[in-house]
Short mmCIF file of all heavy atoms in Angstrom, two decimals:
data_model
loop_
_atom_site.label_atom_id
_atom_site.label_comp_id
_atom_site.label_asym_id
_atom_site.label_seq_id
_atom_site.Cartn_x
_atom_site.Cartn_y
_atom_site.Cartn_z
N VAL X 266 55.06 32.75 164.90
CA VAL X 266 53.96 31.90 164.43
C VAL X 266 52.95 31.67 165.55
O VAL X 266 51.73 31.75 165.33
CB VAL X 266 54.51 30.56 163.91
CG1 VAL X 266 53.37 29.61 163.55
CG2 VAL X 266 55.42 30.78 162.71
N TYR X 267 53.45 31.41 166.75
CA TYR X 267 52.54 31.17 167.87
C TYR X 267 51.71 32.42 168.19
O TYR X 267 50.53 32.31 168.54
CB TYR X 267 53.33 30.75 169.10
CG TYR X 267 52.49 30.59 170.35
CD1 TYR X 267 51.48 29.64 170.42
CD2 TYR X 267 52.69 31.42 171.46
CE1 TYR X 267 50.71 29.49 171.55
CE2 TYR X 267 51.92 31.28 172.59
CZ TYR X 267 50.93 30.33 172.64
OH TYR X 267 50.15 30.20 173.76
N SER X 268 52.31 33.60 168.05
CA SER X 268 51.57 34.84 168.30
C SER X 268 50.43 35.02 167.32
O SER X 268 49.41 35.65 167.66
CB SER X 268 52.52 36.05 168.22
OG SER X 268 53.53 35.97 169.20
N LEU X 269 50.58 34.51 166.12
CA LEU X 269 49.52 34.64 165.12
C LEU X 269 48.37 33.66 165.35
O LEU X 269 47.21 34.00 165.09
CB LEU X 269 50.10 34.42 163.72
CG LEU X 269 51.00 35.53 163.17
CD1 LEU X 269 51.63 35.10 161.84
CD2 LEU X 269 50.21 36.82 162.98
N VAL X 270 48.68 32.47 165.85
CA VAL X 270 47.64 31.44 165.99
C VAL X 270 47.07 31.36 167.40
O VAL X 270 45.97 30.85 167.60
CB VAL X 270 48.18 30.06 165.58
CG1 VAL X 270 48.67 30.09 164.14
CG2 VAL X 270 49.31 29.61 166.50
N GLY X 271 47.82 31.86 168.41
CA GLY X 271 47.38 31.74 169.79
C GLY X 271 46.68 32.98 170.30
O GLY X 271 46.67 34.03 169.67
N ASP X 272 46.07 32.84 171.47
CA ASP X 272 45.48 34.00 172.17
C ASP X 272 45.62 33.77 173.67
O ASP X 272 46.28 32.84 174.13
CB ASP X 272 44.02 34.21 171.76
CG ASP X 272 43.15 32.98 172.01
OD1 ASP X 272 43.42 32.25 172.99
OD2 ASP X 272 42.20 32.75 171.24
N TYR X 273 44.96 34.63 174.47
CA TYR X 273 45.15 34.62 175.92
C TYR X 273 44.60 33.37 176.59
O TYR X 273 44.90 33.10 177.76
CB TYR X 273 44.51 35.87 176.54
CG TYR X 273 43.01 35.81 176.64
CD1 TYR X 273 42.39 35.59 177.88
CD2 TYR X 273 42.20 35.98 175.52
CE1 TYR X 273 41.00 35.55 177.98
CE2 TYR X 273 40.83 35.94 175.62
CZ TYR X 273 40.23 35.72 176.86
OH TYR X 273 38.87 35.67 176.95
N THR X 274 43.77 32.59 175.87
CA THR X 274 43.21 31.38 176.47
C THR X 274 44.19 30.21 176.42
O THR X 274 43.93 29.18 177.04
CB THR X 274 41.91 30.98 175.75
OG1 THR X 274 42.20 30.68 174.38
CG2 THR X 274 40.90 32.12 175.82
N TYR X 275 45.28 30.35 175.68
CA TYR X 275 46.26 29.26 175.57
C TYR X 275 47.08 29.18 176.85
O TYR X 275 47.29 30.16 177.54
CB TYR X 275 47.17 29.49 174.37
CG TYR X 275 46.56 29.12 173.04
CD1 TYR X 275 45.32 29.64 172.66
CD2 TYR X 275 47.21 28.29 172.15
CE1 TYR X 275 44.76 29.32 171.44
CE2 TYR X 275 46.66 27.96 170.92
CZ TYR X 275 45.42 28.48 170.57
OH TYR X 275 44.86 28.16 169.38
N PRO X 276 47.58 27.98 177.20
CA PRO X 276 48.40 27.83 178.41
C PRO X 276 49.64 28.72 178.38
O PRO X 276 50.29 28.85 177.34
CB PRO X 276 48.80 26.35 178.39
CG PRO X 276 47.76 25.69 177.56
CD PRO X 276 47.36 26.69 176.53
N PRO X 277 50.00 29.34 179.51
CA PRO X 277 51.19 30.19 179.56
C PRO X 277 52.48 29.47 179.18
O PRO X 277 53.42 30.11 178.72
CB PRO X 277 51.23 30.65 181.03
CG PRO X 277 49.84 30.51 181.51
CD PRO X 277 49.25 29.35 180.78
N LEU X 278 52.50 28.16 179.40
CA LEU X 278 53.70 27.41 179.07
C LEU X 278 54.10 27.60 177.61
O LEU X 278 55.29 27.71 177.29
CB LEU X 278 53.47 25.92 179.35
CG LEU X 278 54.63 24.97 179.00
CD1 LEU X 278 55.85 25.32 179.85
CD2 LEU X 278 54.21 23.52 179.21
N TYR X 279 53.12 27.69 176.71
CA TYR X 279 53.42 27.87 175.29
C TYR X 279 54.05 29.24 175.04
O TYR X 279 54.94 29.38 174.20
CB TYR X 279 52.15 27.72 174.45
CG TYR X 279 51.48 26.36 174.55
CD1 TYR X 279 50.18 26.17 174.13
CD2 TYR X 279 52.17 25.26 175.08
CE1 TYR X 279 49.56 24.92 174.21
CE2 TYR X 279 51.57 24.02 175.18
CZ TYR X 279 50.26 23.86 174.74
OH TYR X 279 49.66 22.63 174.84
N THR X 280 53.53 30.25 175.74
CA THR X 280 54.08 31.60 175.57
C THR X 280 55.53 31.65 176.00
O THR X 280 56.40 32.16 175.27
CB THR X 280 53.26 32.61 176.39
OG1 THR X 280 51.91 32.64 175.91
CG2 THR X 280 53.86 34.01 176.27
N TYR X 281 55.82 31.11 177.18
CA TYR X 281 57.20 31.15 177.68
C TYR X 281 58.13 30.28 176.83
O TYR X 281 59.29 30.63 176.62
CB TYR X 281 57.24 30.70 179.13
CG TYR X 281 56.72 31.73 180.10
CD1 TYR X 281 55.46 31.60 180.68
CD2 TYR X 281 57.48 32.84 180.45
CE1 TYR X 281 54.97 32.54 181.56
CE2 TYR X 281 57.00 33.78 181.34
CZ TYR X 281 55.74 33.63 181.89
OH TYR X 281 55.28 34.58 182.76
#
Side-chain angles (χ1 to χ4, degrees):
V266 174
Y267 175 63
S268 298
L269 288 173
V270 302
D272 57 33
Y273 76 105
T274 62
Y275 281 53
L278 178 62
Y279 299 164
T280 297
Y281 285 104

